[in-house]
Amino acid sequence: MTEFLYLVPHITVLVGALVLMLMSMYDKFAIKHFITTTSIFLVIALGFAISDFGDLYSTKPYNDLFNNALVFDTYANFFGVLLIFGTLLIVLIGEHYFYEHSYFKGEFFSVLMFALFGMMLIANSNELITAYISLEIASFSVYILVGFHSEDGKRVEAIFKYLVLGSFIGAFYLLGAVLIYGVSGTTNLNDIATYITTHSGSDLNLIYIGITLLIFTFLFKIAAFPFQSWVLDVYRGAPMLVTAYMASTFKVAIFSLFLRAFLQTFSTVQNFWDPILYVLIIFTLAYGTWIAITQKIIKRMLAASSIVHTGYILLAFISLGQNVDSAYAIMFYLISYLVTAIGAFGLISHIISETKVRVTYEDFKGLAHERPFLAAAMTIFLFSLAGIPSTIGFIGKFYVFTEAINAGYAILTIIAIIATIISVYYYFRLIAMMYFYPSNATCAIEGFNDKRISTYVVAFLAALVVWGGIGSAVVFFIPAPNIDAIIEVSKLAIESLFLK
C-alpha cells in the first residue's frame, strides 16, 4: 500500500485525463463542467503529492514491473508538485478566457492532463528510453494544444513548425541514447554513471557524442540559442494559455530531466561542454534581448523574454560543474519564473477575453485608468520578470548570479546583469503605456466583470510574487515564505538523487 501511494498523483492525473476524454463525447457537458472536473483531479493529485513534500526518500515501487525505469524520490516529488500546481494555475487563471473562446472544448482539458502526465513521468524517469517516451507523451500533447486555436490562421504555421522541428530533434535524442547504449550496454542513468566513472579516454568517445545529441534536444525544448527559431511563431500562433503553459510548466519538466541526468549521471564529464555552453549562453541572452526590444506585440515580447530567462537558468546550469549549489538556484528560479510567467500571460489572456484587441503596446494605453487593479498586478509581474527588488524574480536572479560568480563565471554574470538592465526597457515600456498615456477608446473595457475565478487567481499570483520577494517584512501578519525553507527542500531533493 505504501508503494501504491507514491503512484497516486500520477494515477489521479491519468484517470482525470481519461474521464475528461469520455466527458467530451457528450454535448450536455459545458465548459464549466470541464474546468471544475479538471480542477478537482488536479487538487486531489496535488494533495497527495504535497503529503510527501519535504521528506527525504528514494524508492522504486513495483520494481519488478518497472525494472528501474522509474524512480520516486524527493527530487521527482519536488518537480511533480510544481508541475501539478502550474497546470492548476493555468486552468483557473484561464477560466474567463475559456468561456469567451468557443473553440475550447472538453478535449482540450483531456489533452492538457495527458501533457501533465507525461511531464510528471519525465521527472520520475531513471532511464533514457523511458524519459524519451515520457517526453514524447508530453510533447505530442503540447503539439495538439498549440493548434487548438481554430479561429487563428497562424495556428497552422505554429503547429507545423513545432511538430516538424520537434520530431526532428527527437531523432537526435534517440540517436544519442543509442550511442550511449552501444558503448555502455545500458540506458539506465545509474548504470551509465558507473560506466563513466570506471572508464576513460577513447572508451568515452561515444558517450561524449551521445550526450551532445541529448543536449541538442535539451536546448531545443528550452528554446536556447541556436534552437530558438521556432519560439516566436509557435508562441504567437498558440492560444495565450498554451503559450503560458509552454513557457513555464513545460520548461520546468525539461529541466527536471536534464538536471537529474547531469547531477546523477554525467557530473564527472560535464565540464567537457562548458566552453560551448559559455558561448551559447551569451548568444541566448543577446538574441533574446534584441528580439524582445524589437517586438510590438506583447505576447511576442514575453515569448522573446522567455529566451532571455532561459539564458539566466543556463548560467546556473553551466556552474554545476564547479558549484553544486547552483542546482538550488536553478530550482528556485524555476519556481519564481513559473509563478511570474503564468501570472503575466494569464493576466493578458484575462484582458483579451474582454476587449479582443489588447495585443500591442499601443493597445494597453491607459489601462491603469480603466482597471487599476489589473494594471497594478501586471506591473508586479513585469517587476518580477525584470528582477526588481521586493519581488520573487529578484531573489531568483540574485541566487543565480551569486552561484555563477562563486563558480568562477564573473564575466558571464556581468553579461547577464547587462541583459537584465536592458530588459527594464521593454518591461517598463508596457508599464509606461498603462500609466502615463490616455486610454485608447477602441480598447475600453465596458462592463468588465471582476468577480471571476481568474481575477482572484491573478490577485493570488501577484501577492505570491511580492510575498516571495519581501516575506513578512511588510505584511507582518502573514508568515514569511521563508526562502531558506525552499532552498532546504531543494537540497533534500538533490540529496535524494544519491540515495541508494
Side-chain angles (χ1 to χ4, degrees):
M1 187 62 184
T2 303
E3 291 185 340
F4 178 76
L5 289 176
Y6 291 115
L7 303 177
V8 170
H10 302 71
I11 294 175
T12 301
V13 171
L14 181 59
V15 170
L18 295 174
V19 169
L20 288 164
M21 182 174 64
L22 295 175
M23 287 175 59
S24 66
M25 297 170 57
Y26 302 96
D27 295 333
K28 64 180 181 180
F29 293 110
I31 196 70
K32 66 178 181 180
H33 297 118
F34 292 103
I35 294 175
T36 302
T37 303
T38 304
S39 300
I40 290 173
F41 277 104
L42 289 174
V43 169
I44 294 173
L46 185 61
F48 278 102
I50 289 178
S51 65
D52 295 321
F53 197 72
D55 296 335
L56 179 61
Y57 67 93
S58 179
T59 184
K60 297 175 182 176
Y62 305 105
N63 202 33
D64 292 340
L65 176 64
F66 295 128
N67 193 28
N68 287 329
L70 296 174
V71 59
F72 293 79
D73 51 18
T74 309
Y75 178 89
N77 182 252
F78 178 93
F79 281 98
V81 169
L82 287 186
L83 294 171
I84 298 171
F85 182 62
T87 306
L88 179 61
L89 288 177
I90 290 292
V91 173
L92 295 180
I93 205 171
E95 175 242 9
H96 189 28
Y97 190 75
F98 293 138
Y99 283 138
E100 295 297 322
H101 294 80
S102 60
Y103 59 83
F104 285 111
K105 305 295 183 182
E107 294 88 346
F108 177 88
F109 299 93
S110 177
V111 175
L112 185 69
M113 294 290 275
F114 277 118
L116 174 60
F117 177 70
M119 293 177 197
M120 293 174 68
L121 287 181
I122 290 173
N124 291 99
S125 296
N126 193 44
E127 189 261 340
L128 292 178
I129 302 303
T130 303
Y132 174 77
I133 295 173
S134 304
L135 183 61
E136 289 304 294
I137 292 174
S139 296
F140 273 92
S141 299
V142 173
Y143 297 155
I144 297 171
L145 297 178
V146 167
F148 227 88
H149 195 338
S150 58
E151 300 173 2
D152 188 351
K154 295 183 180 296
R155 73 185 180 96
V156 177
E157 178 185 1
I159 189 173
F160 184 77
K161 179 174 290 189
Y162 195 34
L163 175 62
V164 172
L165 293 178
S167 301
F168 182 73
I169 207 69
F172 278 85
Y173 181 100
L174 281 180
L175 180 57
V178 167
L179 293 177
I180 293 173
Y181 176 80
V183 66
S184 66
T186 181
T187 55
N188 183 275
L189 294 179
N190 292 324
D191 294 339
I192 295 172
T194 301
Y195 179 88
I196 292 175
T197 56
T198 56
H199 293 75
S200 61
S202 60
D203 293 337
L204 296 180
N205 286 342
L206 285 181
I207 294 288
Y208 285 125
I209 297 174
I211 297 175
T212 301
L213 295 175
L214 297 183
I215 291 176
F216 285 171
T217 304
F218 170 57
L219 295 175
F220 175 86
K221 293 296 183 181
I222 65 173
F225 188 90
F227 303 96
Q228 80 300 324
S229 60
W230 58 272
V231 172
L232 293 185
D233 292 329
V234 173
Y235 281 17
R236 175 69 179 87
M240 180 67 74
L241 292 172
V242 176
T243 301
Y245 199 56
M246 295 172 64
S248 57
T249 312
F250 192 35
K251 192 170 290 188
V252 170
I254 301 303
F255 271 100
S256 71
L257 169 62
F258 286 92
L259 186 58
R260 176 191 289 275
F262 275 86
L263 286 173
Q264 183 176 306
T265 307
F266 306 132
S267 58
T268 56
V269 295
Q270 179 183 344
N271 292 341
F272 178 81
W273 292 272
D274 283 355
I276 299 174
L277 286 177
Y278 194 103
V279 175
L280 294 185
I281 290 171
I282 295 175
F283 278 102
T284 299
L285 292 170
Y287 180 84
T289 299
W290 170 252
I291 295 299
I293 289 175
T294 58
Q295 297 306 310
K296 296 182 179 179
I297 298 175
I298 302 300
K299 188 179 182 182
R300 288 173 67 93
M301 181 274 287
L302 291 175
S305 73
S306 72
I307 299 175
V308 183
H309 288 279
T310 294
Y312 298 144
I313 304 176
L314 284 178
L315 175 59
F317 199 87
I318 196 177
S319 304
L320 287 174
Q322 290 74 33
N323 183 11
V324 72
D325 289 351
S326 297
Y328 317 139
I330 292 173
M331 297 167 79
F332 187 90
Y333 198 93
L334 289 173
I335 293 175
S336 67
Y337 187 69
L338 175 78
V339 173
T340 307
I342 292 178
F345 280 105
L347 191 151
I348 292 177
S349 71
H350 185 64
I351 296 174
I352 288 176
S353 299
E354 291 291 340
T355 66
K356 313 296 184 186
V357 293
R358 294 276 186 183
V359 177
T360 67
Y361 281 97
E362 296 290 326
D363 293 337
F364 276 79
K365 285 183 176 179
L367 179 65
H369 306 297
E370 301 170 21
R371 280 295 179 269
F373 161 71
L374 296 180
M378 192 65 191
T379 300
I380 291 173
F381 297 136
L382 293 173
F383 273 15
S384 183
L385 290 172
I388 302 301
S390 299
T391 63
I392 195 172
F394 169 77
I395 303 297
K397 285 185 174 64
F398 176 81
Y399 276 124
V400 167
F401 295 162
T402 300
E403 300 304 337
I405 291 173
N406 291 339
Y409 292 103
I411 296 178
L412 203 55
T413 303
I414 292 173
I415 295 174
I417 292 174
I418 293 173
T420 301
I421 295 172
I422 297 175
S423 72
V424 171
Y425 165 74
Y426 50 82
Y427 290 134
F428 278 43
R429 181 184 174 191
L430 180 56
I431 296 174
M433 291 292 177
M434 294 190 295
Y435 281 93
F436 305 125
Y437 288 84
S439 299
N440 189 335
T442 60
C443 300
I445 304 175
E446 298 180 0
F448 193 92
N449 185 1
D450 284 332
K451 295 181 179 179
R452 293 185 178 276
I453 294 176
S454 51
T455 307
Y456 296 116
V457 176
V458 167
F460 168 74
L461 289 175
L464 201 60
V465 166
V466 176
W467 187 28
I470 63 176
S472 59
V474 175
V475 190
F476 59 89
F477 54 86
I478 300 179
N482 198 344
I483 296 171
D484 290 337
I486 298 177
I487 297 299
E488 287 302 319
V489 173
S490 302
K491 290 181 178 180
L492 285 178
I494 300 300
E495 186 178 344
S496 71
L497 295 177
F498 306 102
L499 293 177
K500 301 297 183 182

